[in-house]
């Protein structure tokens, strides 16, 4: 019954985000595992969207599709946001923890998941003049997602609306810094490996 209750709050958060995230924050009604599944599902659906969206809306190069790259870029973007938001809000006296931010992010993705699934299915049966219908659906789902995210972060961090917007802005700044440092780190590792490989090859060549 407890698992059904957590699924109930997943659905409840779509239409009553403030109330649902309050229950999740203060009464433990959320599920980090379920939220993580939503993020993974979004990554999978991004691959499906890339390949199976109808040709009237699909201008992707299917032959050069890299499912792993699409999945990782789609899902890890939210993981980066979660870590960055936690880092920033820790400095700004936010009350939410890492699990709470994960839950808000995963639950907020539900409108995007539903809209993307609808778009992929319907796009295979429409003509070019009807594309606007799906574009409106996707636009509404994005606005819905953003509203849920902002509402959820306000509740779990106990922020005012203005302070929440500032923390979100700083979150993107922190994400850019983390991404830059990550790229720099892996570039240095790659150069070190290349150096040691070159030294090893030169050593064995002189034996």
């Amino acid at each position: 019954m407890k698992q059904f209750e957590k699924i109930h709050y997943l659905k409840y958060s779509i239409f009553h985000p403030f109330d649902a995230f309050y229950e999740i924050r203060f009464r433990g009604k959320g599920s980090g595992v379920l939220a993580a599944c939503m993020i993974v599902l979004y990554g999978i659906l991004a691959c499906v969207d890339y390949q199976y969206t109808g040709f009237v809306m699909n201008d992707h190069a299917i032959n050069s599709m890299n499912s792993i790259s699409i999945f990782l870029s789609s899902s890890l973007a939210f993981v980066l946001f979660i870590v960055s938001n936690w880092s920033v809000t820790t400095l700004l006296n936010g009350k939410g923890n890492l699990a709470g931010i994960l839950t808000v992010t995963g639950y907020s993705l539900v409108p995007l998941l539903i809209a993307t699934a609808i778009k992929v299915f319907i796009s295979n049966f429409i003509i070019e003049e009807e594309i606007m219908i799906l574009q409106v659906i996707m636009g509404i789902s994005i606005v819905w997602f953003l509203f849920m995210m902002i509402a959820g972060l306000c509740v779990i961090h106990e922020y005012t609306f203005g302070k929440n917007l500032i923390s979100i802005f700083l979150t993107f700044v922190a994400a850019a810094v983390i991404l830059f440092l990550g790229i720099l780190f892996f570039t240095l590792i790659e150069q070190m490996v290349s150096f040691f490989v070159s030294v090893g090859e030169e050593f064995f060549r002189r034996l």
Side-chain angles (χ1 to χ4, degrees), residues 40-50 71 112-117 120:
V40 172
L41 184 59
Y42 181 82
I44 295 172
L45 198 55
C47 297
V48 174
D49 179 30
Y50 191 99
F71 174 81
L112 279 178
L113 291 172
I114 295 172
T116 303
V120 171

Side-chain angles (χ1 to χ4, degrees), residues 72-170:
L72 291 178
S73 61
S74 300
S75 55
L76 290 184
F78 291 103
V79 175
L80 178 61
F81 175 85
I82 292 166
V83 173
S84 301
N85 187 257
W86 174 73
S87 303
V88 168
T89 53
T90 298
L91 299 176
L92 297 179
N93 298 318
K95 305 299 183 183
N97 54 23
L98 200 59
I101 301 169
L102 168 63
T103 303
V104 167
T105 304
Y107 282 29
S108 299
L109 280 172
V110 174
L112 279 178
L113 291 172
I114 295 172
T116 303
I118 291 172
K119 186 192 81 169
V120 171
F121 179 75
I122 296 181
S123 65
N124 288 280
F125 303 98
I126 64 172
I127 58 176
E128 190 171 352
E129 287 75 13
E130 297 169 331
I131 291 177
M132 186 178 293
I133 299 173
L134 294 183
Q135 291 175 335
V136 170
I137 292 174
M138 290 303 301
I140 292 173
S141 72
I142 292 171
V143 172
W144 204 340
F145 159 74
L146 292 175
F147 173 70
M148 289 181 65
M149 279 288 292
I150 292 172
L153 292 175
C154 274
V155 172
I156 66 167
H157 291 307
E158 299 181 39
Y159 280 165
T160 61
F161 179 74
K163 188 173 183 179
N164 191 41
L165 290 183
I166 292 172
S167 72
I168 291 174
F169 170 75
L170 293 177

